[in-house]
Amino acid sequence: MPRPTGPALMEKLVALCKRRGFIFPASEIYGGINGFWDYGPLGAQLKNNLRDAWWRDMVEVPPLGPDGEPLQIVGLDSSIIQNPKVWEASGHVGGFNDPMVDCRESKRRYRADHLHVFLPSDGEGPGFAFVEGEADTALSKIKKAKRDRDQYRVTPLLSLDPAAYAGVIGPDTKEPGSLTEPRQFNLMFQTYVGATATQDNLAYLRPETAQGIFLNFKNVLDSSRVAPPFGIAQIGKAFRNEVTPRNFIFRSREFEQMEMEWFCHSSEAVKWFEFWSQARLQWWKDQGVQAERLILRTHERDELAHYAKKGAGTVDIEYAYPFTEPGHGELEGVAHRSCYDLTQHQEHSNKKLEFFDPQTRERYLPDVIEPAAGLSRGVLVLLADAYDLDESRPSPELLRLKPSLAPVKAGIFPLTKKDGLPEISDRIFRELRERYVVQHDIKQSIGKRYARMDEIGTPFCITVDHQTLEDQTVTVRDRDTGYQQRIATDKLTPFLAEKL
Ligand code: ATP
């Protein structure tokens, strides 16, 4: 059986995540809450490992620049709730909207830009709307109407005059005319700061981590020994009241971002935009994500965000998700934000945010190149990319995660519970746990223990057997190949150090 694709792969993945403790629906015992997810013991560890890899490669050891010199990037951890004026200045209060369409009949709400319609080429009969990537229901409705797919062309709902919606059947209904005109919908979650819930106390949960960086640009400049070109990086939660959260953790209402704002002189912005686009694509490949499932896609002019209208543009790093393949969906965006955000904050706050270059005696607001990645979406990519089936194993499911990202690095097992083997494996466990996340497991058959480790992506299984009593060696089994080699117990730490 080959590795499943499409919805079948998603089903397997979601089931594995639940069964093994990677990801659970939030508030599950109360029936869940749409668009929110909890990370279980293994999911939290996997997410931390990805977060740590990003922080290390961006902040602690940033890459070498185009001239071979180490780049300067510093870290930041700003508040989720900021002065609400921030979001007016950033354009989010006015512009952070998705057009949405309601269905009067099914009461469901859709992102208008996610809806497409099968329109009859001959104008005979209704059109059939569907959510991007979910054409199947519409196709079966066409079949039921005793018509042929070839008699229809596909067009975005937004390209139709709303008057024509009267002749369109919604994705979840049988009769035409239930879709409303698109309306704007602000994606920011609101809350109140302080004891009273009045308009004066209204505040927002941040919809992106980036603004916290712009707000602290001057603080960092004045307190750290940095000067453009340099970066400020931040990892943290972001909240968007998405109209249609879907595809597991791909589009959720609470998620984590890993963003870096790279401040540079406008004359160098194009150079840095190209540098970061390539560097970030390469980084995902370095995390073990298969190169042929990743693409760089340049945004069309008309889909650019409000801040990216001028300048070098935006490029997305996209992955072939099970629900988009053979197409791709966004994993990270690299945007040239020009000096939009700093200009806005300077105007709205009335505080000078300019950088003074003592060498050229130029005073300016730097341009910004922003690589913005989803940490939660990254976890989905790692899981989907690593999922595989190996029919030669009794339990064929395995996650081929990059060893350094795997939540558990090694499973340590005594072959049997007798003859002092558990005592030896316990000693090995106690030694290795000082440096690595490892698990000691003495229950069940060795095959079952291997299978469990394969399923959670553990790269190595260390087994203590009777030969260990004679020559102090153990077998080390490789997850991907099943290959077993004997290694002296005192060589295990250097072995893992090399592999991880
Ligand atoms: P989309 O077009 O998918 O809504 P976006 O272009 O609005 O995404 P950005 O504002 O560029 O996304 O955010 C940067 C990154 O944050 C995205 O590449 C993605 O990885 C992540 N992200 C954005 N929205 C969500 C969400 N609702 N759930 C999970 N991750 C998200």
Side-chain angles (χ1 to χ4, degrees):
M1 209 200 313
R3 173 182 180 271
T5 54
L9 172 54
M10 270 327 274
E11 211 170 284
K12 289 257 186 209
L13 209 55
V14 174
L16 188 149
C17 284
K18 172 95 206 292
R19 189 170 72 242
R20 290 305 188 191
F22 280 92
I23 298 164
F24 310 118
S27 316
E28 195 178 14
I29 57 171
Y30 290 100
I33 171 165
N34 196 8
F36 297 88
W37 299 89
D38 292 340
Y39 289 75
L42 295 176
Q45 187 68 44
L46 176 62
K47 182 145 67 82
N48 280 350
N49 292 348
L50 185 60
R51 178 195 287 121
D52 291 349
W54 189 91
W55 191 260
R56 187 189 135 77
D57 294 341
M58 293 297 263
V59 180
E60 293 173 2
V61 196
L64 303 180
D67 59 0
E69 288 300 310
L71 300 181
Q72 257 192 332
I73 304 180
V74 292
L76 183 80
D77 186 359
S78 71
S79 254
I80 285 174
I81 294 179
Q82 301 279 358
N83 188 311
K85 287 182 189 143
V86 168
W87 309 109
E88 284 162 31
S90 69
H92 285 90
V93 170
F96 198 57
N97 295 309
D98 279 326
M100 55 155 207
V101 164
D102 285 322
C103 177
R104 297 185 194 92
E105 204 179 310
S106 70
K107 305 293 175 219
R108 286 195 55 185
R109 175 173 284 176
Y110 315 94
R111 279 247 315 247
D113 58 331
H114 287 173
L115 288 182
H116 300 267
V117 186
F118 285 110
L119 268 192
S121 309
D122 56 7
E124 288 291 312
F128 298 89
F130 63 94
V131 179
E132 204 169 79
E134 298 169 16
D136 287 358
T137 338
L139 285 170
S140 57
K141 286 184 204 168
I142 289 177
K143 222 170 162 185
K144 253 197 180 141
K146 301 227 173 353
R147 301 263 291 179
D148 199 73
R149 162 76 182 83
D150 294 344
Q151 295 171 285
Y152 293 83
R153 64 187 168 87
V154 176
T155 180
L157 182 81
L158 282 175
S159 72
L160 300 184
D161 181 341
Y165 292 8
V168 173
I169 297 181
D172 300 289
T173 55
K174 295 193 179 104
E175 298 298 325
S178 63
L179 296 179
T180 65
E181 277 189 30
R183 280 181 295 221
Q184 295 300 320
F185 183 78
N186 196 294
L187 292 185
M188 280 194 295
F189 279 102
Q190 301 185 346
T191 187
Y192 297 98
V193 175
T196 49
T198 64
Q199 195 64 20
D200 292 343
N201 294 345
L202 186 63
Y204 302 95
L205 304 193
R206 68 179 174 202
E208 60 174 28
T209 56
Q211 294 306 323
I213 296 179
F214 299 123
L215 298 175
N216 286 290
F217 169 68
K218 202 75 172 109
N219 282 338
V220 172
L221 207 57
D222 293 346
S223 61
S224 320
R225 296 171 60 96
V226 287
F230 79 103
I232 305 178
Q234 155 152 261
I235 302 176
K237 291 246 170 164
F239 303 82
R240 296 183 189 176
N241 199 358
E242 296 278 1
V243 179
T244 40
R246 64 201 161 101
N247 295 329
F248 198 28
I249 54 173
F250 176 81
R251 187 175 301 289
S252 42
R253 288 177 165 143
E254 174 175 343
F255 55 97
E256 271 177 274
Q257 291 185 312
M258 311 188 282
E259 298 197 292
M260 194 272 291
E261 309 301 320
W262 180 254
F263 300 94
C264 62
H265 194 275
S266 60
S267 63
E268 294 198 313
V270 172
K271 171 183 100 176
W272 287 115
F273 176 73
E274 271 151 25
F275 172 80
W276 282 114
S277 304
Q278 292 304 327
R280 294 303 306 151
L281 174 66
Q282 185 57 44
W283 188 81
W284 284 108
K285 292 179 186 169
D286 293 343
Q287 307 318 306
V289 180
Q290 296 190 38
E292 65 270 20
R293 295 188 189 140
L294 286 166
I295 58 158
L296 275 186
R297 187 181 71 84
T298 305
H299 275 215
E300 306 290 338
R301 283 274 131 193
D302 61 358
E303 56 174 324
L304 290 181
H306 56 268
Y307 52 74
K309 291 279 186 235
K310 58 184 175 116
T314 297
V315 64
D316 281 346
I317 298 169
E318 298 194 337
Y319 180 76
Y321 295 93
F323 42 83
T324 59
E325 63 187 354
H328 300 78
E330 180 173 335
L331 165 61
E332 170 162 354
V334 182
H336 178 200
R337 295 180 79 125
S338 65
C339 57
Y340 175 85
D341 304 87
L342 289 178
T343 307
Q344 288 293 103
H345 288 307
Q346 180 165 279
E347 272 174 20
H348 281 72
S349 68
N350 255 325
K351 299 275 171 0
K352 280 267 170 268
L353 299 178
E354 288 165 334
F355 167 69
F356 175 69
D357 186 336
Q359 257 147 30
T360 60
R361 309 212 55 79
E362 189 187 355
R363 201 176 285 280
Y364 64 94
L365 285 179
D367 267 24
V368 169
I369 306 299
E370 174 199 74
L375 172 58
S376 335
R377 232 179 242 189
V379 169
L380 175 59
V381 165
L382 292 183
L383 289 168
D385 201 64
Y387 186 91
D388 204 2
L389 290 179
D390 178 355
E391 284 302 314
S392 69
R393 306 178 192 206
S395 301
E397 287 185 287
L398 77 158
L399 291 179
R400 298 187 192 273
L401 291 167
K402 180 181 176 181
S404 60
L405 293 175
V408 179
K409 307 304 184 202
I412 301 155
F413 317 135
L415 186 62
T416 67
K417 281 192 207 161
K418 293 181 299 208
D419 306 327
L421 302 186
E423 286 73 13
I424 301 177
S425 59
D426 183 59
R427 219 162 42 229
I428 295 174
F429 167 67
R430 282 167 190 264
E431 194 184 316
L432 293 181
R433 74 192 273 269
E434 296 292 331
R435 291 192 56 181
Y436 301 109
V437 179
V438 289
Q439 287 187 358
H440 188 215
D441 191 354
I442 58 177
K443 289 195 212 102
Q444 294 186 310
S445 75
I446 196 76
K448 284 220 171 96
R449 283 179 276 173
Y450 282 163
R452 188 175 158 271
M453 287 296 153
D454 286 349
E455 262 190 46
I456 65 172
T458 305
F460 303 107
C461 289
I462 298 167
T463 306
V464 172
D465 55 20
H466 290 94
Q467 196 180 323
T468 314
L469 300 172
E470 287 158 26
D471 63 5
Q472 281 80 52
T473 66
V474 289
T475 64
V476 178
R477 172 183 170 277
D478 180 277
R479 172 198 68 203
D480 293 336
T481 58
Y483 171 74
Q484 302 197 7
Q485 56 180 316
R486 289 208 80 89
I487 293 185
T489 49
D490 61 355
K491 293 281 176 326
L492 283 170
T493 304
F495 171 83
L496 288 180
E498 190 208 317
K499 298 286 179 184
L500 300 170

